[in-house]
């Protein structure tokens, strides 16, 4: 035990919590296995702090993603005791005496340990063109597009999405069918569909069986969202839009 570890344990009042962490090392493990580590149980330590302690003090080969530690970047999403959570905002003390089990997000191929492959999600996200689409204009740089508070409010909640992928991991449709466009991509499409400045048409991408019509409205995506976005509502709203457009084909958005 190092001097730093002794110091940390003194600060923690000698209390520790057991972290059971899924390990998958290509070339060594045929499938994920769990390994246990005891980490100091401090009141202000998030699960991410426990993982960092393991990597810094106990096993430097442990691999996981993280960046901002403030619930903004969305990169530290993992499965914590069966629930998709941001590990920077999930505290070890929530789990009493433990153990607390850490796994990769469900529904994604595992690259190593707690890191999953998100290339499929990035392709889905790109397909909905999550940016302001303007057509037929060449305005000088610096041109502003003013909006009223009501116009801003129409899409504001969907703009809070941080692409953490917790909603995908919680979605029973996506876990069974990786071709499903999924909650975050559809919510972000709606973010731009409802923006008064946008001129894009995402109907062909969204009005498909593997898009909004594949959703069975379980609502887990909304329940687990750490930013209180409501992807389930976004999907149901676009179902109405798509149905109306089928009846009134000259309508848009």
């Amino acid at each position: 035990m190092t001097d730093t570890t002794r110091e940390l344990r003194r600060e923690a009042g000698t209390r520790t919590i057991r972290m059971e962490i899924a390990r998958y090392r290509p070339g060594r493990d045929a499938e994920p296995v769990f390994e246990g580590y005891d980490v100091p149980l401090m009141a202000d330590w998030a699960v991410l702090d426990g993982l960092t302690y393991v990597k810094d003090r106990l096993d430097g080969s442990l691999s996981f993603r993280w960046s901002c530690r403030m619930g903004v970047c969305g990169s530290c999403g993992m499965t914590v005791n069966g629930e998709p959570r941001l590990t920077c905002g999930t505290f070890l003390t929530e789990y009493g005496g433990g153990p607390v089990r850490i796994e990769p997000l469900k529904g994604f191929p595992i690259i190593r340990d707690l890191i999953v492959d998100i290339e499929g999600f990035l392709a889905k996200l790109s397909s909905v063109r999550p940016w302001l689409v303007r057509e037929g204009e060449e305005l000088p740089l610096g041109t502003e597009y003013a909006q009223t508070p009501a116009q801003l409010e129409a899409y504001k909640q969907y703009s809070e999405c941080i692409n953490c992928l917790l909603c995908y991991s919680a979605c029973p449709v996506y876990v069974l069918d990786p071709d499903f466009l999924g909650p975050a991509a559809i919510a972000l499409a709606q973010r731009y569909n409802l923006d008064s400045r946008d001129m894009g048409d995402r109907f062909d991408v969204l009005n498909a069986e593997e898009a909004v019509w594949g959703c069975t409205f379980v609502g887990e995506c909304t329940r687990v969202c750490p930013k209180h976005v409501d992807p389930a509502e976004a999907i149901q709203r676009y179902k109405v839009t798509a149905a109306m457009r089928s009846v009134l084909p000259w309508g848009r958005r």
Side-chain angles (χ1 to χ4, degrees), residues 24 26 54-55 77 102 121 124-125 129 137 141 145 155 177 179 181 186 189 234 251:
Y24 173 67
V54 172
K55 185 172 181 64
I102 317 299
F121 166 72
K124 291 181 173 67
L125 187 61
R129 296 193 294 169
E137 61 180 5
L141 291 175
Y145 297 89
Y155 66 84
D177 179 11
D179 290 332
L181 186 58
I186 297 174

Side-chain angles (χ1 to χ4, degrees), residues 128-133 155 158 187-200 202 253:
V128 303
R129 296 193 294 169
W131 54 81
L132 287 177
V133 176
Y155 66 84
Y158 303 128
L188 284 166
Q190 276 292 73
R191 178 257 177 267
Y192 291 95
N193 284 340
L194 297 172
D195 191 319
S196 61
R197 301 166 296 180
D198 186 81
M199 300 168 68
R202 302 171 179 85
R253 307 167 74 81

Side-chain angles (χ1 to χ4, degrees), residues 3 6 9 17 30 32 48 63 76 96 100 120 126 134 138 141 156 172 182 184 209 221 223 229-230 232 235 241:
D3 291 342
R6 290 192 184 92
R9 293 204 173 203
I17 187 170
L48 182 59
S63 300
C76 68
V100 55
S126 179
R134 303 290 299 180
E138 294 184 5
L141 291 175
K156 184 179 178 181
E209 185 60 35
C221 54
R223 184 181 68 80
V229 179
D230 191 348
I235 295 171
T241 300

